[in-house]
Every structure is written in structure tokens, then in C-alpha cells.
Amino acid sequence: SSEVLEAIENVVQGVFQSLAQKKAPVLTVANRTDWRNIEFKDSVGLQMIPGCTTKQIRSDCPQSARRFALMLKILSMIYKMVQSNTYATKRDIYYSDTLLFGSQSVVDQIINDISCMLKIPRRSLHVLSTAKGFVAGNLSYTEEDGTKVNCTCSATVFTVPSNVEGIKNLTSHAKFILIVEKDATFQRLLDDDFFSKVSPCIMITGRGIPDLNTRLLVRKLWDSFQIPVFTLMDADPHGVEIMCVYKYGSVSMSFEAHHLTVPSVKWLGLLPSDLKRLNICKDALIPFTKQDENKLASIRKRPYIACQPLWKKELEIMAASKLKAEIQVLTSISSDYLSRVYLPNKLQFGGWL
């Protein structure tokens, strides 16, 4: 905590020094969303380059003065929380003054900018995000406040903890981790008792694009148990994008890649090649939108796709057909085909990429 306090004090000191010299104070932050500042490293994923380009948030410029003030406001809130060893969610910060902040996304972006500027992970700033992910299966652990969580005993879903760093005593006999894109598929696998029928496993869903806590938990489980991590996604550009976030990270959070990515993630399904192999009726497939085409074109240009020739082939199949499919398309074969046939066969015969 002394490191965090010192980092914030240095920023404020810089503001005072500028004022003393009758200069307009400026905050310098990295261009987090610029692909030119990102490099791909196979063992880590997308990470920010050391000498990346920066942007200045000036106090004397109408376009950025408000943002400058909001950054100082949030820095002061973080300083007080670290001093008093209290925590707040991003939502708490927004609701402390909704008129001032204007929207939740403004708060989210500023917190990420501050984390990147100070080179300190967000959880060390005592800012938590409200977890939206779920976890179930062969896993038990103790939360930071001493609460014991046992996912193994029941088909109950547990919310991913808000402070993943604080959980301890993780135990599991799982043979693999299965990341499921959507909540509906996750619930279906739970209803079918999938995680105990096939072989013990841990199931996680970020319910779409995963939040930070879900990504941190997947990484923590991988570090703790060193077991295979598989993804079950829709056969569409959006599903591929989500899988890439788990495996390679995102551009906007590339400064924290070392804590968030799991480079060993495998693509289990739904593969575009599966659709032909399983004779899925064309009427059950969905035509691409212009947005899908653009998203797929962007993914195919990314540096990590060049290292994945088998993924590349699947994306070529998707691009050629201009058709996408949700995981639920497997119910057109039979209602429990996913849990009874598709996944067990894939896991037994190595049908992943």
C-alpha cells in the first residue's frame, strides 16, 4: 500500500510543481487502445511495448480539462481507500457522484488509465468490479473474509469472487477447466450434470465478454492446478473474439497481460468445421451481418492468428460460408447432444485446436 500511496503522491507533486512554475499541469497516460503500442508474445499474449506512445491530459485544454479533474478526483478517492484499507467497486465510485462522472463507462476508463499510468494493478488500487461471471464444478476455496465456498457438492452456481487475489486454499480434483461463452449453455450443462458425468471439471462463464474478475479467476485456476483449459464458444466472430480475450488478452488491458492471459487455452468448439462434419442443416445457420464480416476480417489480421494455422483454417471456413452458428444449434440433432455426445467425444478423442 505504501507503494500505491507514493505513486499517487508523485503524481500530485508533479501537479503542484507545474502550478508553482506557473505552468498548466498535465497528466501523461499511455495510448492503451492503439495497436501500434502492442506487441504479441506467444508466452504472454498481447502486451504493451515499453516505449509506447502517450497522450497528454491537459488542465488548460477545453477538450481534456474535465477528464484531468475527474482523474484527480478518483486518485484522491483511491488514496483515501488505500490509507484506510477499505475497498469500493467501480459502481460505488460512479454512484458517489453520478452528476459529476456522467456515466459508468467514464469511471471505468479513468480507473484503467490510472492503473496504467501508475503501473499498479487495479486490485492494488482497492477498486473492485462487480463480478458477473459464474463458476461451478469440482472446486472449493476460502474467500478473503473467511467464507468457505464449495462448488463440488451441488449443481449450484457461484458468482466469481469480487476479490480473486484474496481467495486461498483452492482445492480441486478437476481434470480440465471448461470456459463457456454463454450463461444459457452453462446452465444447460449444469442441468445435465455434465461436470460430474464425464470426468470432474471446473466450469466458468463470463456470460459474454469476460470481466476482469472472471479472467483473473481462470488465470488463478490455471496457475494453481496446471490442467488443460478448453473454450466452448459460438461458431461466430464474436465467439472467437471472446476466446482470444481469455487466451491472448485485450488491447485495452495489455498493460496487465501477465496477470490475465492463459496462453494454453484450447478451442474445443463449436468449430466452423464441426457444422459440416455433423451435417448441421443450413436452415439452422445464421447469415453474417456486415458487422460480422468486419469483425472476422479484423481478427484474421491480428498477429496471433499467424501462429495458429489450424485456427486460421477454421476462420477461412467461416469467411467462405458467411454463416455462423450458436452452440444451441446442436439441439437440432438432439436435446442433450452437447453434453451426451459432442463434448465427451471431443474430450476423449482430442477434438480441439
Side-chain angles (χ1 to χ4, degrees):
S1 61
S2 59
E3 191 189 318
V4 181
L5 296 175
E6 193 183 332
I8 296 172
E9 285 161 11
N10 289 339
V11 170
V12 176
Q13 208 173 354
V15 171
F16 283 144
Q17 279 170 351
S18 296
L19 291 170
Q21 294 162 5
K22 297 198 164 32
K23 289 180 185 170
V26 168
L27 296 173
T28 304
V29 297
N31 271 328
R32 289 186 297 112
T33 53
D34 190 337
W35 272 93
R36 288 169 299 182
N37 284 335
I38 311 298
E39 65 178 359
F40 169 64
K41 202 173 172 186
D42 212 14
S43 59
V44 181
L46 300 175
Q47 61 177 8
M48 197 167 267
I49 58 173
C52 67
T53 60
T54 55
K55 58 183 177 186
Q56 290 192 326
I57 297 167
R58 302 187 61 85
S59 58
D60 61 346
C61 167
Q63 281 82 21
S64 61
R66 176 179 151 73
R67 193 169 189 86
F68 178 91
L70 292 180
M71 281 186 82
L72 286 187
K73 166 75 174 168
I74 291 177
L75 276 168
S76 76
M77 294 172 84
I78 291 168
Y79 193 86
K80 282 174 194 159
M81 288 192 295
V82 175
Q83 260 188 333
S84 59
N85 196 28
T86 53
Y87 288 81
T89 63
K90 293 188 296 184
R91 206 164 174 70
D92 294 334
I93 291 173
Y94 168 60
Y95 278 108
S96 69
D97 200 331
T98 53
L99 282 174
L100 176 69
F101 294 120
S103 76
Q104 181 70 62
S105 65
V106 167
V107 172
D108 296 354
Q109 284 168 16
I110 287 176
I111 288 165
N112 286 341
D113 276 343
I114 287 172
S115 174
C116 186
M117 177 177 75
L118 301 179
K119 295 185 171 53
I120 290 169
R122 196 176 70 194
R123 54 212 163 276
S124 301
L125 302 176
H126 287 228
V127 178
L128 306 170
S129 34
T130 313
K132 70 176 180 114
F134 291 145
V135 60
N138 196 294
L139 175 68
S140 59
Y141 56 86
T142 308
E143 290 198 357
E144 195 180 30
D145 62 1
T147 308
K148 287 183 167 56
V149 176
N150 189 350
C151 313
T152 310
C153 295
S154 60
T156 314
V157 166
F158 291 88
T159 306
V160 167
S162 288
N163 190 356
V164 173
E165 289 296 293
I167 66 174
K168 49 190 183 289
N169 306 331
L170 285 92
T171 54
S172 176
H173 301 294
K175 296 283 183 277
F176 61 90
I177 296 162
L178 181 65
I179 300 169
V180 182
E181 178 186 348
K182 285 180 176 160
D183 191 21
T185 311
F186 182 83
Q187 298 290 348
R188 178 71 214 226
L189 290 172
L190 270 183
D191 293 344
D192 291 349
D193 200 19
F194 170 77
F195 64 83
S196 58
K197 267 183 191 164
V198 178
S199 68
C201 74
I202 300 166
M203 293 201 316
I204 292 182
T205 179
R207 299 162 76 197
I209 294 169
D211 60 358
L212 201 65
N213 293 321
T214 305
R215 290 170 63 189
L216 281 168
L217 182 61
V218 171
R219 175 64 195 233
K220 190 165 186 119
L221 293 173
W222 181 62
D223 283 340
S224 303
F225 305 123
Q226 292 293 307
I227 51 178
V229 183
F230 299 113
T231 56
L232 180 62
M233 306 280 151
D234 288 341
D236 67 9
H238 190 64
V240 175
E241 171 94 285
I242 289 169
M243 174 174 59
C244 290
V245 168
Y246 284 106
K247 185 176 175 77
Y248 297 118
S250 58
V251 174
S252 63
M253 293 299 288
S254 58
F255 64 95
E256 269 212 66
H258 288 81
H259 307 287
L260 294 170
T261 58
V262 180
S264 69
V265 159
K266 301 278 186 282
W267 188 2
L268 189 68
L270 188 65
L271 302 177
S273 59
D274 287 338
L275 304 174
K276 192 175 181 185
R277 185 175 61 81
L278 298 170
N279 288 323
I280 301 290
C281 173
K282 269 209 167 161
D283 295 346
L285 305 178
I286 307 158
F288 262 24
T289 62
K290 188 72 191 150
Q291 200 179 0
D292 290 326
E293 285 183 40
N294 294 341
K295 170 79 76 186
L296 184 57
S298 140
I299 292 169
R300 290 174 75 188
K301 284 181 198 151
R302 290 183 195 168
Y304 44 70
I305 296 299
C307 310
Q308 292 282 359
L310 296 175
W311 284 29
K312 211 172 168 181
K313 274 186 186 163
E314 294 294 331
L315 298 183
E316 280 165 14
I317 293 169
M318 201 188 283
S321 72
K322 291 192 178 176
L323 293 168
K324 56 185 181 177
E326 296 184 332
I327 299 159
Q328 287 90 323
V329 79
L330 296 176
T331 56
S332 66
I333 302 173
S334 74
S335 62
D336 60 350
Y337 189 81
L338 174 67
S339 58
R340 186 176 52 83
V341 182
Y342 182 83
L343 288 175
N345 282 353
K346 284 247 167 184
L347 292 161
Q348 189 180 344
F349 300 113
W352 57 79
L353 307 177

